[in-house]
Amino acid sequence: MIPIVDLFAGPGGLNEGFSSIGEDEGQPVFRTVASFEMNKYAHGTLLLRTAYRIMKRAAGVPSSYYRYVQGMLSWPEFAADPTVADALAQAREEVHLVELGEANRSSVDATIRNALAGSLEGMDDDWVLIGGPPCQAYSLAGRSRRKHDEEFENDHKHFLYKEYLHIIEKFRPTVFVMENVKGLLSSTNKGSQTFDLILRDLSEPSPGVNYEIRSLVVDEPVGQLNPKDFVIRAEDYGIPQKRHRVILLGIRADALDRTSRVFLEPKSAVTVNDAIGDLPRIRSTISPAAEDSPLAWSILKHEVTAILGLGDISEGAALKPTPMTAGGPFHRGYRIPAVRTPYQKWILDPRLGGVTLHHSRSHMSEDIKRYGYLAAQAAISGRALKLGDLPDELQPKHKNIGKATTPFVDRFRVQLADQPSSTVVSHISKDGHYYIHPDASQMRSLTVREAARLQTFPDNYFFTGSRTQQYHQVGNAVPPLLAAQIAAKVAETLRVNLAPSGQKAEQSIGAAPKRLSYSTPALVGFVAS
């Protein structure tokens, strides 16, 4: 197996994708030997998933894992299982809670050196470095928030890629895969284009050490590539999300003659409906909790019905009754479809017996009504509405509303059912305004599991920490299914002979998926009692 070192690992999106290649056939191509993450909650998620993978590759995942994610076992009870205890011990040797930076370079270097020494027969053997530096300093949203911050240009996040660069310089991986936000292409620091600086550094991390930086999506000579040629549009590759990210594939110069140039193949579109339309329907809950009840929620629904002018209950509405449960950490009201789309084959696990982390967050009453109204109107118009599309009675009571200078006019956004979603980002942990569920009858924002599905995390992937922390991890991750396609191409680059059955990422989304559907128009769910 080809060793992997994962920097800025987050909850493990890239890791999951690389680990999946050949795994189901018992012939994994890659093995992660060291992962580094500074957030303790993401580290906890990555540790648990690493233990899961260790168990899967050995005797199989024990039932205690499923009882734990179902909430039937506490962590001490779960960790006491001898199989789990052994896997966790191995995982702790691989997954490291550490902040990458100059202060910790010597210890991180020692960890990587020991991990590679135990995994390579010789230091000339192939290994791969993956990861992406934190992106807040490059993102358009981050730059907007700190537009007048004099310290912004000195933010250490601008330079965390140098920790990635240091590992390349020090250990010289055969291949590296570096991911970052599209905003990197327009970011500047002290008058220089950040992307040009990074590309120059990665091409020659030190005298005599050179890398060819390739695109995975544009078939042009390397010297003729433009910055935008490194952008991967996730929705073009079977990901149910319009996520555009810079992905750099670096090949060490002395390995070029034994590598192949490879490119991702476009896949059939996967929509929001395809990703989450089969999950149990649940209602939002009202904040504050003292005001929440099925009756109070139903009253809100009827208020929106009146604003929409739907009138009496229709015959069709009875087919879609109002959901009265808000879900929960584990929801048993879910059955895996008998006929599964290629996307679902990647996501689903029959052993789960339900769905985890499908619990609606609480919203203020006025926001719930806005969600319901906008989702209903979006189903009719087929477009994402803006703040100005709300009727007067649903407009936020802010002084600047209705003015030409009103900021954030798209602060409420419905995820259209028949399209890939907008980009899932960490801000989903703050509120759900930008992630309104397309089914108007549910009047809510997306759950953690729904966000995870849009990010293509398998349903048996469990996120640790509070719900806010879970959202944050999901939003910061690389979609594992996209990572798997990249990993398959890295294997092909290194001329690894993959059996056809081992190319799970390539096959799992190759065919056009069957379309799921909410009742159209989605208004009918509103008027069911």
Side-chain angles (χ1 to χ4, degrees):
M1 288 186 285
I2 299 173
I4 297 286
V5 173
D6 188 5
L7 305 182
F8 309 102
L14 272 173
N15 206 315
E16 180 74 8
F18 273 80
S19 298
S20 73
I21 304 303
E23 188 174 57
D24 284 353
E25 294 74 38
Q27 298 178 327
V29 173
F30 299 102
R31 173 175 175 254
T32 304
V33 297
S35 298
F36 301 90
E37 172 54 37
M38 64 172 285
N39 180 279
K40 66 178 182 179
Y41 302 107
H43 171 267
T45 296
L46 185 58
L47 183 71
L48 177 63
R49 190 61 177 185
T50 301
Y52 169 93
R53 185 172 302 116
I54 289 169
M55 294 185 291
K56 180 179 180 180
R57 290 185 175 185
V61 182
S63 61
S64 58
Y65 176 82
Y66 292 94
R67 295 201 304 274
Y68 170 67
V69 300
Q70 291 167 356
M72 298 173 62
L73 291 180
S74 67
W75 177 265
E77 292 170 328
F78 169 62
D81 181 320
T83 300
V84 175
D86 181 63
L88 285 171
Q90 294 182 58
R92 291 188 180 99
E93 293 296 315
E94 173 188 322
V95 181
H96 306 279
L97 179 62
V98 62
E99 181 175 4
L100 297 178
E102 292 187 16
N104 295 316
R105 274 187 181 178
S106 59
S107 62
V108 170
D109 286 356
T111 299
I112 293 175
R113 185 180 301 108
N114 291 336
L116 291 175
S119 305
L120 301 176
E121 295 182 5
M123 291 307 290
D124 291 332
D125 289 352
D126 292 330
W127 69 278
V128 179
L129 179 69
I130 63 176
C135 59
Q136 295 96 321
Y138 304 139
S139 72
L140 298 176
R143 283 146 56 189
S144 175
R145 286 193 298 270
R146 299 184 61 181
K147 185 175 181 180
H148 302 293
D149 185 347
E150 294 181 358
E151 293 300 314
F152 181 60
E153 286 202 335
N154 296 319
D155 191 325
H156 76 288
K157 295 184 182 71
H158 280 298
F159 307 104
L160 281 175
Y161 88 92
K162 290 190 175 181
E163 298 310 310
Y164 196 97
L165 180 67
H166 167 74
I167 301 303
I168 295 174
E169 178 184 3
K170 185 85 173 179
F171 296 99
R172 304 183 183 185
T174 313
V175 173
F176 68 77
V177 175
M178 180 174 164
E179 179 267 352
N180 221 293
V181 292
K182 186 179 178 181
L184 176 65
L185 301 183
S186 57
S187 173
T188 61
N189 190 268
K190 302 186 186 304
S192 298
Q193 292 291 326
T194 303
F195 183 74
D196 291 343
L197 296 173
I198 290 176
L199 203 62
R200 185 180 64 200
D201 286 346
L202 292 174
S203 297
E204 188 177 4
S206 64
V209 180
N210 299 97
Y211 283 81
E212 182 175 278
I213 313 300
R214 297 175 178 173
S215 166
L216 282 163
V217 293
V218 175
D219 188 3
E220 293 288 347
V222 171
Q224 298 179 23
L225 292 171
N226 296 312
K228 62 181 176 58
D229 294 334
F230 295 99
V231 175
I232 293 181
R233 296 163 51 94
E235 69 271 25
D236 293 339
Y237 303 96
I239 309 303
Q241 179 187 167
K242 298 173 184 176
R243 192 181 193 92
H244 301 170
R245 291 293 186 264
V246 173
I247 304 289
L248 305 179
L249 175 66
I251 311 294
R252 201 176 63 219
D254 65 313
L256 290 173
D257 60 351
R258 56 185 180 86
T259 64
S260 301
R261 289 191 68 200
V262 295
F263 305 94
L264 298 176
E265 290 90 13
K267 302 293 188 296
S268 301
V270 180
T271 69
V272 170
N273 265 2
D274 298 324
I276 68 173
D278 62 320
L279 288 173
R281 295 173 62 249
I282 59 177
R283 69 172 179 88
S284 54
T285 55
I286 302 172
S287 178
E291 297 180 5
D292 181 64
S293 71
L295 176 59
W297 189 88
S298 185
I299 290 172
L300 293 178
K301 182 255 309 186
H302 281 288
E303 289 180 13
V304 179
T305 300
I307 295 171
L308 288 164
L310 292 177
D312 296 331
I313 296 175
S314 66
E315 181 180 352
L319 300 176
K320 199 170 189 182
T322 297
M324 284 298 152
T325 174
F330 182 70
H331 198 300
R332 293 191 178 277
Y334 175 69
R335 296 293 179 268
I336 288 180
V339 178
R340 302 170 202 168
T341 66
Y343 168 84
Q344 288 171 328
K345 291 177 182 178
W346 169 270
I347 291 290
L348 299 174
D349 182 348
R351 293 185 65 187
L352 272 173
V355 61
T356 67
L357 309 179
H358 189 49
H359 186 197
S360 178
R361 71 206 311 173
S362 295
H363 304 292
M364 302 292 290
S365 295
E366 293 304 307
D367 282 336
I368 290 175
K369 290 191 288 186
R370 292 178 185 117
Y371 292 178
Y373 179 89
L374 290 170
Q377 295 289 31
I380 294 173
S381 66
R383 65 181 180 89
L385 283 74
K386 297 184 182 297
L387 193 61
D389 293 307
L390 285 170
D392 290 343
E393 58 264 52
L394 292 180
Q395 286 286 341
K397 301 301 187 286
H398 300 318
K399 293 180 180 179
N400 59 4
I401 295 298
K403 298 180 180 179
T405 57
T406 299
F408 304 113
V409 293
D410 61 346
R411 71 183 68 182
F412 296 100
R413 186 184 182 97
V414 178
Q415 298 303 317
L416 299 178
D418 61 353
Q419 298 180 21
S421 76
S422 59
T423 308
V424 178
V425 297
S426 62
H427 187 77
I428 194 174
S429 66
K430 304 295 184 184
D431 61 56
H433 296 344
Y434 206 70
Y435 301 96
I436 301 172
H437 196 286
D439 182 359
S441 70
Q442 300 183 53
M443 297 199 303
R444 62 176 177 85
S445 60
L446 301 181
T447 66
V448 171
R449 181 52 57 194
E450 288 166 336
R453 279 197 172 193
L454 295 176
Q455 280 279 58
T456 70
F457 280 98
D459 279 358
N460 57 28
Y461 211 107
F462 193 77
F463 298 87
T464 65
S466 69
R467 184 164 56 188
T468 296
Q469 292 150 356
Q470 292 164 357
Y471 276 121
H472 193 268
Q473 293 172 55
V474 171
N476 274 337
V478 175
L481 186 51
L482 179 61
Q485 295 175 69
I486 293 170
K489 291 305 176 184
V490 170
E492 188 179 335
T493 293
L494 294 171
R495 299 177 182 173
V496 174
N497 187 21
L498 290 176
S501 61
Q503 298 183 47
K504 178 181 177 183
E506 295 299 314
Q507 294 185 345
S508 65
I509 55 174
K514 177 183 177 182
R515 296 289 183 226
L516 301 172
S517 178
Y518 300 118
S519 297
T520 303
L523 307 180
V524 296
F526 257 103
V527 293
S529 299

